[in-house]
Amino acid sequence: MEGILLALIPMVSWGSIIFVSSKIGGNANQQTFGMTLGAFVFALVVFAVRQPKLDLTTILIGLVGGGLWSIGQNEQFKAAKFMGVSVAGPLSSGAQLVIGSLIGVLAFGEWSKPVQYLLGSIAIIVLVIGFYFSSRKDPNTESVSGQQHLGKGLRSIAYSTFGYVLYATLFNNLSDLIFHVKIDTLTVILPMSVGMMIGAWIIAGGKIKLEPVVFKNIPVGLMWGLGNVFMLLAAAKAGLAIAFSFSQLGIIISTIGGILFLGEKKTKLELRYVVIGTALFIIGAILLAIVKIQ
């Protein structure tokens, strides 16, 4: 029970990131850079408390991983502006789960048992169907500009997924396979946060208006760091599969937050699509978690 309660923290903190930052405001570059400042502050505190030993390889992996993460987060913020948080949040999570799982299976052989292939395949199909419903619009209200925004949003989701999945693959697979380094999140968090800031700065072309809204996004980075800590604590108490499953439930937070707190307007049909899509994403995430423990 304690592990499940701990797992609720990353669910809420990570699930709230996209809608809290959208509520605070700023363009995607300002949101990303402000968030990375908060992540850096959090990382400094963690580093001071843990005082981990860092070698050059770990530092470089952290820097590169942070840069890839910044691509993922920046494009996710852009997608939210094109499509709305209640659509972009679930689509982003679903795309990461599908692509990440496929890479894990095809490139690293993470599934070896028939039951894993069965449940994993069902999960991916469920996620793809969820993707379809979440991106659907009411045909009676859809406009040309709406279609254009959807197209731009889907492109941003694709770029975001690219950044996030590469970052996760680097930390979870390539670091061990190529460099023989086991990545511990709290050990690598400081160089990663530096890579996040550098990446955010480069993405913006070195031109970020340091307006108050940038610094208002610092707490969003603190939320990200808090989610990381409690994800590890939850995994230690309840197992990685349970912690992972609950962390994915954060899409409920982003969906509700977008509609209730950001005032994103939906027709009854679109609301039904979003609910169906979100439910399918949750089912798919839980199935993938079950696959991990087989």
Side-chain angles (χ1 to χ4, degrees), residues 87-104:
V87 174
L91 286 183
S92 180
S93 295
Q96 290 172 54
L97 286 169
V98 170
I99 302 302
S101 297
L102 289 175
I103 289 177

Side-chain angles (χ1 to χ4, degrees), residues 27 42 80 94 100-101 138 147 185 241:
N27 59 43
F42 187 90
S101 297
D138 189 335
Q147 291 176 338
T185 304

Side-chain angles (χ1 to χ4, degrees), residues 57 61 108 169-170 172-181:
T57 302
I61 291 173
F108 302 105
T169 302
L170 174 64
N172 297 330
N173 303 101
L174 295 180
S175 60
D176 186 22
L177 185 66
I178 298 176
F179 304 105
H180 308 293
V181 174

Side-chain angles (χ1 to χ4, degrees), residues 199-218:
W201 188 261
I202 292 174
I203 290 170
K207 298 177 181 178
I208 298 176
K209 293 182 179 180
L210 295 178
E211 298 172 340
V213 71
V214 172
F215 302 102
K216 288 180 181 178
N217 271 286
I218 286 178

Side-chain angles (χ1 to χ4, degrees), residues 17 31-39 69 73 77 217 220-221 224:
I17 283 174
Q31 289 174 288
T32 307
F33 191 68
M35 183 177 172
T36 62
L37 290 177
W69 176 94
Q73 189 60 63
F77 282 141
N217 271 286
V220 181
W224 172 83

